[in-house]
Amino acid sequence: MRVVVIGAGIIGAACALALVERGAEVVVVDRLGVAGETSSRCEGNLLVSDKAPGPEAALAIASNAMWRTLAGRLDADRRDGQPATEFEAKGGIVVAFPGGEAALERFAAAQRATGIRAETLDAAALASAEPHLSPEVAHAVRYPDDAQVQPSNATQALLAAAMRHGARLVVAEVTGPIGGPGRIAGVRTATGAIPADVVVNCAGPWSAEVASRLGARLDIRPRRGVILVTTPMPQRVFHKVYDSDYVGAVGSGDAALQTSIVVESTPGGTVLIGSSRERVGFDDRPGVAPAGAIAAKAVRLFPFLERTILLRSYFGFRPYAPDHLPVIGPDPEIAGLVHATGHEGAGIGLAPATAELVAHAVLDAPTDLDPTPFLPTRDGLRETA
């Protein structure tokens, strides 16, 4: 089986490894190279805490378990100075300010019924876990299974492992398909044609454009997000800590700017502060409004940040689907074309499980995961803006 994977971000890299390990001949095609876009412009979240009961929660629980084995394996197999994935099983703490206590506890109770571990913290336990947190916080729930990787490093590690098994990387832009109407037999690129039995579209926010070039229709839209980075400091944040408003922002379809706070330390001593969401196409001029709103909310959560110097900020585009579910599976109109996209801000965390579903779709590899909710034929993708 010859497979072209379009996109060398985290989803493409994970799919390449899953396919080549199962015997496929894999070529990864990307116009920029490894982790050139979304996968190097995010926080590396491996979250179950933000998942409401439903198909994505089931996918996240499975993928979270896969990451614990996968990260250890990738780090053990490093070669030639390759950086570590920086996997941290730090856990997450979701907090509510006065007035939000009941809603947070209801959400956590519903999650517990699906198998997500969610531990309500009393005031003493919260102070011990996060001593620098604002005293304004009225309620907190700890999620022991939340974790973190350095996303660019993890993407590089996945693709390096795939290439050690025989996958190839071609840096070129896909310009069109090989094959007749209704059937794809490879891709044309700016540097030549690459024949394939199956093409997997892992182009993230650009998946709709790639699909169109290949003769398919796919409703995936970019959603811009901004992240702030402080200068290095002694560690004062010990979990991934975020305001419960984050869950609502993740599930919102509003195109306007929304901000919710996620704060965490990195192994290098910096603090990452997010996040914003807005649908503005591929506008690469975020201005200061998202950063200002994020900073103001972050200081309310961790007051010490008011006296902290920002090192930089960055932004990226996330692949947004109208019904907020990833799109994973065969295209309904083009035989030989498979999609793996639409994860928005959850792509890092969902990458291993997505790759397993892609291997199932392409190679009929066994899986205990249910592919049905994520298929491109579902009704939720027929909505319009």
Side-chain angles (χ1 to χ4, degrees):
M1 177 72 74
R2 296 174 301 170
V3 183
V4 166
V5 174
I6 302 173
I10 192 81
I11 299 296
C15 288
L17 180 58
L19 291 165
V20 76
E21 285 189 322
R22 290 165 172 83
E25 179 184 330
V26 177
V27 179
V28 179
V29 183
D30 193 284
R31 62 189 173 91
L32 294 178
V34 185
E37 287 284 1
T38 302
S39 295
S40 61
R41 301 182 180 207
C42 59
E43 295 170 280
N45 294 334
L46 312 181
L47 300 185
V48 295
S49 57
D50 64 338
K51 304 298 186 293
E56 190 177 14
L59 198 67
I61 292 168
S63 209
N64 187 283
M66 293 176 190
W67 261 118
R68 292 166 191 277
T69 301
L70 179 60
R73 186 183 120 200
L74 293 172
D75 286 340
D77 290 345
R78 283 186 294 155
R79 312 275 176 87
D80 303 323
Q82 178 185 318
T85 63
E86 296 184 13
F87 175 84
E88 290 184 274
K90 63 173 68 174
I93 294 179
V94 183
V95 304
F97 288 100
E101 303 96 323
L104 174 55
E105 192 53 44
R106 283 195 302 271
F107 186 74
Q111 291 176 305
R112 292 183 191 108
T114 71
I116 292 174
R117 293 196 294 163
E119 307 165 350
T120 299
L121 300 179
D122 61 22
L126 181 60
S128 175
E130 291 292 343
H132 300 283
L133 196 64
S134 169
E136 283 189 67
V137 169
H139 194 72
V141 178
R142 177 164 50 199
Y143 291 83
D145 295 319
D146 278 358
Q148 177 83 12
V149 291
Q150 206 292 337
S152 180
N153 291 1
T155 303
Q156 293 177 60
L158 284 164
L159 194 55
M163 293 175 73
R164 287 196 292 272
H165 283 81
R168 292 192 297 122
L169 173 65
V170 174
V171 179
E173 186 157 6
V174 171
T175 57
I178 302 173
R183 174 75 207 184
I184 196 167
V187 298
R188 301 187 187 281
T189 76
T191 60
I194 306 174
D197 300 299
V198 176
V199 174
V200 185
N201 176 12
C202 302
W206 294 269
S207 295
E209 180 181 346
V210 168
S212 179
R213 292 183 185 185
L214 299 178
R217 296 175 293 173
L218 186 65
D219 190 1
I220 296 294
R221 314 165 198 181
R223 208 175 186 191
R224 189 176 66 193
V226 172
I227 296 170
L228 311 180
V229 186
T230 73
T231 53
M233 65 181 75
Q235 187 173 9
R236 298 186 201 176
V237 182
F238 301 94
H239 300 77
K240 185 183 293 289
V241 182
Y242 65 86
D243 187 341
S244 56
D245 286 349
Y246 178 82
V247 175
V250 169
S252 171
D254 196 336
L257 173 64
Q258 299 175 72
T259 58
S260 52
I261 295 310
V262 184
V263 180
E264 64 191 304
S265 294
T266 71
T270 59
V271 175
L272 300 183
I273 307 169
S275 64
S276 67
R277 284 174 164 78
E278 52 186 334
R279 291 213 324 268
V280 290
F282 287 105
D283 185 346
D284 60 0
R285 298 161 298 170
V288 299
I294 291 168
K297 289 185 175 182
V299 167
R300 186 184 182 198
L301 193 62
F302 283 100
F304 77 85
L305 290 172
E306 186 174 13
R307 301 177 299 279
T308 298
I309 297 172
L310 285 180
L311 179 66
R312 63 188 178 101
S313 67
Y314 61 93
F315 71 91
F317 298 105
R318 287 80 160 108
Y320 166 90
D323 60 358
H324 305 286
L325 285 178
V327 182
I328 310 167
D331 187 88
E333 298 174 344
I334 307 293
L337 177 61
V338 173
H339 301 290
T341 184
H343 301 77
E344 199 180 329
I348 307 298
L350 298 179
T354 297
E356 183 171 303
L357 287 176
V358 167
H360 175 72
V362 174
L363 302 173
D364 198 27
T367 181
D368 292 328
L369 302 172
D370 181 7
T372 307
F374 311 105
L375 292 176
T377 51
R378 67 183 189 257
D379 289 340
L381 289 182
R382 297 175 187 171
E383 298 178 15
T384 57

